[in-house]
Amino acid sequence: MQVTTSEFWDEKYISGNTKWDLGKSTPVFDHWIAKYKFPLKICVLGAGNGWDAINFSILGHDVTAVDFSNIAIENMKKYCNKNDIKMSILKMDILKLNSKFKKYFDIVIEYTCFCAISPVLRREYLQVVYDILSPEGKFAALLFPIDKTTTDGPPYAIEIDYIVPLISSYMNLVEINIPINSVPMRQDREIFVLYEK
C-alpha cells in the first residue's frame, strides 16, 4: 500500500504501529497556544487521534481537525461525542484542502504530518498551507525528525538547512527554536518554527 492512501494509515492503527501518537496533547503546543486568549480558527493537519485539536477546542478555539484515515476520524468522533467536545472533524486528503478553504484559518498546525508525506509532495503541501491561511495567518510547526539521516520513511527526514528556507519561500519566518519542553523521546529531535503569511 502507498503512503498516500488512507488504507496505509488505517493499517497502522489496526496493527498498533502509531509511534507518532503521544496519547495526549503536545507540551510544546500546550505552552505556545496559551498566549492566545481570544478564539482563533485553527486547522490541525493530519490530526490523527486529535489530541492537539481536542486541546485547542477545550481552550475555546474553532478547530478543524483533518485526517484521511477512517480509523483516526472515528477515534476523534467517539472521543468528542463521549466528552461533549465541539470541533469540526474532516475526512479529507490535506492536499485538497485549498479546494474547500481559501484564506480561512488564523493558524495551521503541523506535527508529524509533514514528515509522513512523500518529500516530492512538500511544495504542494506548503502551497495548500499558504492558500488556506488568512491574510495574516500563522503556520506553527513542530518539525520532526531532524536527526534522521536515512532517506526511507515515513517518517521522512527533516533536513533543517533545506526545509526552513523552503518554507520561507512561501511565508515569513517569525520564530525558530529547539523546544525545551519536548516529550523526552523527542528531546533535541524536533524544532519549532512559526511562520506568518
Side-chain angles (χ1 to χ4, degrees):
M1 285 183 288
Q2 296 294 317
V3 68
T4 52
T5 66
S6 58
E7 291 80 11
F8 177 91
W9 296 102
D10 283 342
E11 179 55 36
K12 294 285 187 183
Y13 285 97
I14 291 167
S15 65
N17 185 12
T18 55
K19 295 177 183 176
W20 66 85
D21 190 323
L22 300 180
K24 62 179 182 178
S25 59
T26 309
V28 176
F29 286 133
D30 292 349
H31 176 76
W32 175 76
I33 198 66
K35 69 180 82 169
Y36 296 99
K37 305 301 182 186
F38 49 91
L40 297 166
K41 287 184 286 189
I42 299 176
C43 181
V44 181
L45 302 176
N49 283 324
W51 304 119
D52 289 312
I54 287 164
N55 185 52
F56 298 145
S57 295
I58 290 170
L59 293 173
H61 298 289
D62 178 5
V63 179
T64 300
V66 186
D67 207 288
F68 74 165
S69 162
N70 295 296
I71 294 174
I73 292 295
E74 286 307 309
N75 287 347
M76 282 190 280
K77 286 180 177 178
K78 285 177 186 175
Y79 189 93
C80 288
N81 288 338
K82 181 179 178 181
N83 294 281
D84 196 29
I85 294 167
K86 307 251 185 304
M87 71 179 187
S88 175
I89 300 170
L90 186 60
K91 183 185 185 298
M92 190 173 183
D93 181 345
I94 60 169
L95 297 178
K96 293 182 171 61
L97 277 172
N98 52 357
S99 67
K100 185 176 177 68
F101 299 97
K102 293 284 189 185
K103 302 178 181 179
Y104 183 80
F105 295 104
D106 300 309
I107 294 176
V108 171
I109 296 290
E110 158 57 44
Y111 193 32
T112 68
C113 181
F114 192 71
C115 67
I117 63 173
S118 170
V120 301
L121 297 173
R122 286 174 171 175
R123 286 188 177 275
E124 186 176 350
Y125 170 103
L126 291 169
Q127 185 63 56
V128 169
V129 171
Y130 181 87
D131 291 344
I132 66 176
L133 277 174
S134 63
E136 295 180 357
K138 293 179 174 61
F139 177 53
L142 196 51
L143 300 173
F144 168 89
I146 61 172
D147 60 337
K148 187 171 182 177
T149 56
T150 58
T151 58
D152 62 314
Y156 297 98
I158 302 293
E159 311 90 346
I160 291 302
D161 290 344
Y162 169 71
I163 295 299
V164 170
L166 176 62
I167 305 174
S168 297
S169 69
Y170 291 83
M171 293 162 276
N172 300 313
L173 181 62
V174 176
E175 180 182 343
I176 181 169
N177 64 71
I178 300 289
I180 60 171
N181 54 347
S182 294
V183 293
M185 62 186 166
R186 295 185 185 165
Q187 191 68 54
D188 299 322
R189 301 183 63 212
E190 57 191 10
I191 191 165
F192 176 80
V193 291
L194 179 66
Y195 286 85
E196 190 169 63
K197 187 170 177 179

